[in-house]
Amino acid sequence: ARRLAYTPEEDLAILEYLTRSQHERGGNVVYHQMEAKKVTRHSWQSMRHRYLNTLQSLSEAEVTQLRKVSTARGQLSSRVSCG
């Protein structure tokens, strides 16, 4: 199986979901929920790894840049509800 690269939209979807979530980001529960809701096309383990090793250390400016890239591509995710 070939690994799927994360898109800016997927990175943003993870960040937005976690911002709205009340669960601990270092645990597993929230990532299982994200996988069940298909926030991205990646497994819960992959999303957890992506957040803990890449996304949590992004500056506000880098997150703003992600939003700009995502919006420019016209694919801002609508799959990010926590309900």
Side-chain angles (χ1 to χ4, degrees):
R2 191 161 187 242
R3 292 184 188 197
L4 296 172
Y6 276 86
T7 65
E9 292 80 18
E10 289 175 322
D11 285 343
L12 194 55
I14 291 169
L15 289 170
E16 289 180 350
Y17 190 96
L18 291 173
T19 297
R20 295 181 182 134
S21 173
Q22 300 300 314
H23 290 284
E24 177 61 43
R25 293 172 183 182
N28 294 337
V29 172
V30 70
Y31 303 99
H32 281 281
Q33 291 174 346
M34 290 167 65
E35 182 179 48
K37 292 181 181 202
K38 300 188 185 311
V39 171
T40 74
R41 51 203 170 133
H42 301 274
S43 70
W44 72 266
Q45 297 98 329
S46 178
M47 288 186 278
R48 182 178 187 275
H49 185 268
R50 180 71 172 179
Y51 176 74
L52 294 175
N53 293 304
T54 303
L55 301 177
Q56 77 174 344
S57 62
L58 292 180
S59 68
E60 195 58 43
E62 290 168 314
V63 173
T64 298
Q65 183 60 32
L66 259 182
R67 282 193 174 91
K68 287 180 183 176
V69 169
S70 180
T71 301
R73 290 169 52 145
Q75 301 174 0
L76 192 56
S77 177
S78 61
R79 299 173 288 183
V80 187
S81 67
C82 281

